[in-house]
Amino acid sequence: EVQLVQSGAEVKKPGESLKISCEGSGYSFTSYWIGWVRQMPGKGLEWMGIIYPGDSDTRYSPSFQGQVTISADKSISTAYLQWSSLKASDTAIYYCVKGSTDWGAFDIWGQGTMVTVSS
Amino acid sequence: SSELTQDPAVSVALGQTVRITCQGDSLRSYYASWYQQKPGQAPVLVIYGKNNRPSGIPDRFSGSSSGNTASLTITGAQAEDEADYYCNSRDSSGDHLVFGGGTKLTVL
């Protein structure tokens, strides 16, 4: 079964750093793009960026460039999303997504990681 | 603001046909994908490419495109189709992706 399993919910304070993970299984991890999607409370989906684990080619949405870092460790089939200094406005659910053969179509979604940033 | 525009809400009577649209200049060059999201759940891909359904998606879901508008059509809407629907595609640069604002579908 193809699946993406994300790390658990996080509660952090403003200014703290954070790295959340997404482990892929059931498919060739290095052959498909992995992306991250943000959903703020009660809001829509926002594409943050995408990485190709095979060569670490990474693209960021202009809205998130410089705000987060996307990386991947192909040796353990895991992608990461990290922040160096969280803000309250980073409170959201973050989904990792697997790209399909059609670049831009995400055929598998992780279960989501809830990140709460509050003082 | 999103480069893909969707109507915020649409309703359909049970068993009838409904079309949900997504507008954007990039859709003249790229296909849209469509996702269904039910409350408290992760989104699910329902249509991608010209008109492709992933395994397990009922054939009452179909996609089409004309000019700058992509459409998701549900033929014979069921109660379980009540959900939020999002389109996504490349942006006008072609190098990035973008989601539409989402459409809340109510089945009456």
Side-chain angles (χ1 to χ4, degrees), chain A residues 36-37 39 43-48 50 59-62 65 95 100-112, chain B residues 31 33 35 37 40-45 48-50 52 54 86 88-91 94-101:
Chain A
W36 289 94
V37 175
Q39 188 166 40
K43 301 299 184 182
L45 305 175
E46 300 174 90
W47 179 72
M48 302 178 71
I50 200 164
R59 321 272 176 90
Y60 291 94
S61 161
Q65 179 83 48
Y95 293 102
S100 73
T101 52
D102 182 346
W103 197 85
F106 304 130
D107 58 358
I108 300 295
W109 290 63
Q111 83 274 21
Chain B
Y31 289 118
S33 302
Y35 305 85
Q37 186 180 34
Q41 298 183 19
V44 172
L45 178 68
Y48 67 99
K50 188 174 183 180
N52 301 303
Y86 296 91
N88 90 310
S89 186
R90 299 193 193 212
D91 69 0
D95 293 330
H96 304 291
L97 297 165
V98 63
F99 281 95

Side-chain angles (χ1 to χ4, degrees), chain A residues 28-91:
Chain A
S28 174
F29 185 76
T30 55
S31 299
Y32 295 89
W33 292 83
I34 288 272
W36 289 94
V37 175
R38 182 175 80 174
Q39 188 166 40
M40 299 176 74
K43 301 299 184 182
L45 305 175
E46 300 174 90
W47 179 72
M48 302 178 71
I50 200 164
I51 186 167
Y52 190 75
D55 61 8
S56 294
D57 182 8
T58 308
R59 321 272 176 90
Y60 291 94
S61 161
S63 298
F64 291 94
Q65 179 83 48
Q67 307 304 308
V68 297
T69 300
I70 294 171
S71 60
D73 185 340
K74 60 187 179 183
S75 70
I76 55 172
S77 300
T78 299
Y80 302 96
L81 177 66
Q82 68 181 84
W83 296 259
S84 59
S85 181
L86 287 160
K87 302 184 283 287
S89 57
D90 292 318
T91 295

Side-chain angles (χ1 to χ4, degrees), chain B residues 54-89:
Chain B
S55 174
I57 301 301
D59 61 5
R60 63 179 179 271
F61 290 89
S62 63
S64 61
S65 185
S66 178
N68 73 336
T69 302
S71 300
L72 172 70
T73 299
I74 306 175
T75 304
Q78 302 299 303
E80 61 264 31
D81 299 334
E82 187 163 287
D84 293 327
Y85 289 85
Y86 296 91
C87 62
N88 90 310
S89 186

